[in-house]
Structure formats: structure tokens, C-alpha cells
Amino acid sequence: MRVLLVEDDTDLSKRIAASLRAESFVVDIAHNGEDAEHAGLTELYDVAVIDLGLPKIDGVSVLKSWRAAERTFPVLILTARDGWPDKVESFKAGADDFLTKPFKVEELVLRLRALVRRATGHATSKITCGPLAFDAQLGTFEHDGLPLKLTALEWRVLSCLILRKEIVVDRRELIERVYEGDAEVDSNSIEVIVGRLRRKIGPELIQTVRGRGYMLTAAA
């Protein structure tokens, strides 16, 4: 799950990003509205977290720009403003959720997972594919009813695939959702991760679609 975090308080943004990365999120950070607008228009994100009071361009204006450009990823407003007019304006601009500061990081994580789950078309948090089960709210996997131990990179790939089960996920899309923007990515890194996953869950669940990418399927 790739997150765009837009927060002008650098200390707070570092703390939030560290907490999200500990939960296996991929996090890009923008400290002003101008950079946030550009990132949201040009990069691939599963969800965005944005403050309202930002330098250069305010959060609502950034959100309106994204929606005008038909960028449909869910957006959570994270702000110290708790007035009803701010909430109304945010939701009218296209926000999907609203959380006020101070806040619990655990609540933020749960809300973001719920937003991504609903955005990928899943009404409930339990997602299954053959012997594989994913609790999208807790972020845990089971295989044949037993907990599945995964590295952070394996978790990112498998969560991306199961949220889009029976759909081919482009290899480039996987790379963008698994690695942060400044990471050096080896040309066969996704293949290595998929190979490790196949050894853990069985080779038949992840199909390679030549020239396109990978698909998680129970139909094999």
C-alpha cells in the first residue's frame, strides 16, 4: 500500500512515516501543497493523507486539483482543524475520511487500510483466495488456517495481489507500490520476491502473465 503523506511539520511527518513503514506501508512525503499536487497527479498511490494548512497551496485546493484530474485514490484529511465548516469543505472537495489532531497512529493505520480495502472493491476485511486469507483491517495473512510469516517486501507484494485477486497486476505497478520513490530497484527484484512467495504459499496461486505481470488466482 503506497501512501502519499502531506504534512508541513517535518518532525510529525517523520514520526508518522516511521509508524506507517513499520506497518509495511510505502510512504512518500511532501511538505507543501505544490509538491503534493504534483506527486498526486504524476505518481501511483493507494491512498493519501493530507493536512489542510499547507505552505504554497492549501490542502483543499490540492484535493480539488486531484479530483479535477480524475485522480480517484482515497484521501484522508489529517488536521488540527475540527470545525464543522472545515469538514464540510473537505468532503465537498472529494475527501474520503477526516481525522483530527491529536490522534492515535493505530487509528490512522486502521482507517487507511479500510480506505484502501473499500477502494479496491472489498466490502469486508476478510479477503480469501483459495487457501490464502488476508485480514485487511489487521494486515495479517493466513495459509491453510495458519499464520503466514512474511518479510515487509513479501507482504507488500502479496497484499497488492490479493486486493486485486483474479486481476493481472502490471509488473511496473507492483514495483511502484512495493518500493519508495528513491529506492534503488534491481531489475529482477519482483521476480525474486514472487519466487519466495511461491515457496511459502504454493506455486499455483501466483500466475505469471507473460509480458504483463502477475495474478493471484484460486482457479489454477
Side-chain angles (χ1 to χ4, degrees):
M1 300 180 189
R2 188 179 181 193
V3 183
L4 174 60
L5 173 61
V6 189
E7 170 60 60
D8 62 322
D9 184 326
T10 54
D11 289 337
L12 178 59
S13 66
K14 287 179 182 178
R15 291 198 299 271
I16 295 173
S19 297
L20 293 178
R21 286 168 180 145
E23 296 290 339
S24 296
F25 285 88
V26 178
V27 186
D28 290 345
I29 301 175
H31 294 297
N32 62 70
E34 188 173 271
D35 291 344
E37 181 183 39
H38 177 74
L41 293 175
T42 58
E43 299 293 331
L44 180 67
Y45 292 105
D46 293 296
V47 65
V49 180
I50 185 168
D51 197 357
L52 293 179
L54 296 170
K56 297 186 178 180
I57 306 174
D58 67 271
V60 168
S61 296
V62 172
L63 179 52
K64 287 180 178 178
S65 175
W66 290 342
R67 296 311 191 219
E70 299 184 350
R71 303 295 281 177
T72 59
F73 53 81
V75 175
L76 181 145
I77 302 296
L78 182 63
T79 180
R81 303 179 188 176
D82 59 358
W84 177 246
D86 292 311
K87 293 181 181 180
V88 170
E89 186 179 23
S90 298
F91 283 115
K92 283 185 175 181
D96 299 273
D97 202 354
F98 195 102
L99 183 61
T100 56
K101 303 172 184 176
F103 64 96
K104 294 284 189 181
V105 173
E106 294 84 357
E107 181 180 0
L108 176 63
V109 169
L110 290 174
R111 286 176 181 243
L112 292 181
R113 285 178 175 159
L115 287 173
V116 174
R117 169 178 56 80
R118 290 195 294 267
T120 51
H122 300 283
T124 63
S125 62
K126 193 67 172 289
I127 304 168
T128 60
C129 186
L132 191 66
F134 178 52
D135 190 320
Q137 201 67 21
L138 299 178
T140 56
F141 279 96
E142 290 183 352
H143 185 259
D144 283 331
L146 298 175
L148 185 62
K149 288 187 176 181
L150 301 170
T151 67
L153 292 178
E154 290 168 356
W155 186 93
R156 291 171 183 173
V157 169
L158 195 55
S159 63
C160 184
L161 291 175
I162 200 168
L163 285 168
R164 299 160 182 83
K165 64 178 183 176
E166 309 299 342
I167 297 173
V168 178
V169 181
D170 183 78
R171 182 178 177 276
R172 172 54 54 184
E173 181 180 341
L174 271 177
I175 290 174
E176 291 185 11
R177 284 194 158 99
V178 168
Y179 295 97
E180 295 185 7
D182 57 353
E184 293 186 8
V185 183
D186 187 82
S187 60
N188 67 339
S189 59
I190 292 296
E191 287 80 1
V192 171
I193 296 170
V194 169
R196 295 203 305 256
L197 285 171
R198 283 172 170 154
R199 288 192 289 272
K200 292 183 177 183
I201 66 175
E204 70 284 350
L205 282 178
I206 303 178
Q207 291 187 358
T208 300
V209 181
R210 191 173 300 276
R212 295 180 62 190
Y214 299 94
M215 179 174 66
L216 189 74
T217 179

